[in-house]
């Protein structure tokens, strides 16, 4: 049985208890060295074989997992954040399916949730936005025709943009086709790592500020009025609102 593990955003204490146990018990560990904090592996077995997937292609990753399985060794595949978000995860699961190798998935704290935590914000503010769009800009991997940033921006929902901080000027430009230029933006570099950086601004000035801060990768851009200070109080905790677990005061 192979375990796919979400390693969380960086801080090794943000790993699930199960994820940590399986890493610590593993004989073979493949991790995404470019983004997974090596501190997540600090209690691995002394003789565990550790592979950095940054220099491996898909077939090599699968080959290592297959050999481990054949030798009765316990293998874990450690992804940054949660494997379900830009993790190139599905293709690995499908390859294991074809080989008849069983696996399970232990979720992790995605960087988009760690980003809200370090900003101390809520993505879904009543009366502001109740929808969160996770997306990225078109880069070397194209975007599906129906998911162009300019179309997604029309909703003016909370937007979380992965993988695109290197193209900040173009990103802000495309968003300003729909959001007003004064819409607040935050860019969080390496959320929860020791060298985390936060840059805040609005669509009109964020590209300049990000450039000044020298941020070119490993950052998320979050956009929307959820970063502002105006919103409605929630109905859930409204004292006049009755729901299943509490009677409202009339
Ligand atoms: N599966 C990961 C995302 C992998 S794609 C997750 O759930 O977070 C890699 C992109 O994620 C990076 O380019 C960056 O945009 C973002 N990212 C990953 N870790 C980050 C962190 N600690 N802080 C900010 N952004 C991060």
């Amino acid at each position: 049985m192979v375990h796919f593990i979400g390693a969380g955003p960086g801080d090794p204490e943000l790993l699930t208890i199960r994820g940590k146990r399986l890493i610590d018990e593993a004989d073979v560990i493949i991790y995404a060295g470019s983004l997974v904090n090596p501190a997540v592996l600090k209690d691995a077995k002394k003789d565990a074989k550790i592979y950095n997937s940054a220099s491996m292609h898909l077939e090599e990753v699968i080959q290592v997992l297959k050999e481990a399985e054949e030798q009765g060794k316990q293998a874990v595949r450690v992804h940054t954040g949660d494997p379900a978000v830009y993790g190139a995860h599905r293709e690995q699961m499908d390859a294991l399916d074809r080989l008849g190798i069983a696996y399970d998935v232990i979720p992790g704290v995605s960087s988009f949730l760690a980003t809200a935590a370090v900003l101390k914000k809520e993505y879904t503010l009543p009366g502001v936005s109740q929808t969160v769009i996770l997306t990225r800009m078109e880069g070397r991997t194209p975007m599906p025709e129906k998911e162009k940033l300019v179309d997604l921006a029309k909703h003016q929902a909370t937007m979380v943009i992965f993988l695109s901080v290197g193209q900040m000027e173009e990103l802000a430009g495309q968003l300003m086709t729909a959001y007003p230029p004064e819409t607040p933006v935050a860019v969080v570099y390496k959320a929860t790592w020791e060298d985390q950086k936060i840059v805040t601004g609005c669509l009109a000035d964020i590209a300049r500020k990000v450039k000044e801060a020298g941020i070119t990768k490993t950052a998320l851009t979050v956009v929307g009025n959820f970063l502002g200070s105006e919103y409605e109080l929630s109905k859930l905790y409204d004292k006049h609102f009755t729901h299943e677990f509490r009677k409202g005061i009339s």
Side-chain angles (χ1 to χ4, degrees):
M1 161 86 91
V2 169
H3 303 289
F4 289 96
I5 299 173
D11 181 339
E13 289 200 339
L14 295 176
L15 181 61
T16 63
I17 293 167
R18 185 181 299 171
K20 167 141 180 70
R21 176 174 59 79
L22 291 169
I23 289 171
D24 296 351
E25 291 172 1
D27 305 305
V28 174
I29 300 172
I30 308 180
Y31 78 112
S34 51
L35 279 172
V36 172
N37 190 341
V40 165
L41 310 181
K42 72 176 187 327
D43 298 322
K45 292 205 284 200
K46 292 281 165 288
D47 57 350
K49 280 196 93 170
I50 300 181
Y51 297 83
N52 182 349
S53 63
S55 57
M56 298 162 82
H57 52 67
L58 175 62
E59 283 76 24
E60 287 172 318
V61 169
I62 299 302
Q63 187 59 28
V64 169
L65 297 175
K66 181 168 170 261
E67 277 168 20
E69 192 71 11
E70 286 165 356
Q71 294 163 8
K73 291 188 174 153
Q74 186 56 70
V76 295
R77 172 71 171 108
V78 183
H79 281 265
T80 175
D82 185 280
V85 186
Y86 303 112
H89 183 211
R90 176 67 188 270
E91 60 193 26
Q92 301 174 65
M93 293 189 284
D94 286 352
L96 294 185
D97 281 341
R98 286 194 290 276
L99 294 168
I101 297 174
Y103 55 83
D104 65 2
V105 184
I106 292 88
V109 177
S110 177
S111 58
F112 86 91
L113 296 170
T115 289
V118 301
L119 290 171
K120 303 195 177 86
K121 297 290 184 218
E122 176 178 354
Y123 288 138
T124 52
L125 280 185
V128 176
S129 173
Q130 294 286 288
T131 305
V132 185
I133 297 178
L134 306 184
T135 190
R136 47 176 280 266
M137 269 191 82
E138 191 148 80
R140 290 206 301 168
T141 313
M143 286 295 283
E145 191 50 44
K146 292 182 182 152
E147 296 176 19
K148 300 285 183 210
L149 204 60
V150 289
D151 295 323
L152 299 177
K154 287 181 187 145
H155 299 283
Q156 295 200 26
T158 297
M159 272 230 224
V160 180
I161 299 135
F162 284 74
L163 297 161
S164 312
V165 76
Q167 310 162 70
M168 206 57 211
E169 211 153 314
E170 199 185 332
L171 174 64
Q174 291 195 18
L175 292 173
M176 279 189 285
T177 62
Y179 292 86
E182 62 276 13
T183 307
V185 184
V187 171
V188 179
Y189 168 77
K190 292 182 89 175
T192 80
W193 289 67
E194 279 177 7
D195 49 349
Q196 163 185 302
K197 275 188 216 167
I198 297 177
V199 176
T200 56
C202 64
L203 281 173
D205 65 14
I206 196 71
R208 177 180 54 79
K209 289 182 168 176
V210 163
K211 198 169 170 198
E212 280 167 8
I215 300 171
T216 56
K217 59 180 175 115
T218 327
L220 281 182
T221 304
V222 293
V223 182
N225 286 324
F226 80 94
L227 289 165
S229 48
E230 274 172 42
Y231 61 96
E232 293 164 13
L233 292 179
S234 78
K235 292 271 185 279
L236 189 60
Y237 295 106
D238 180 342
K239 63 182 178 213
H240 301 295
F241 189 70
T242 297
H243 62 66
E244 191 183 354
F245 300 105
R246 196 188 57 227
K247 236 182 148 49
I249 302 165
S250 41

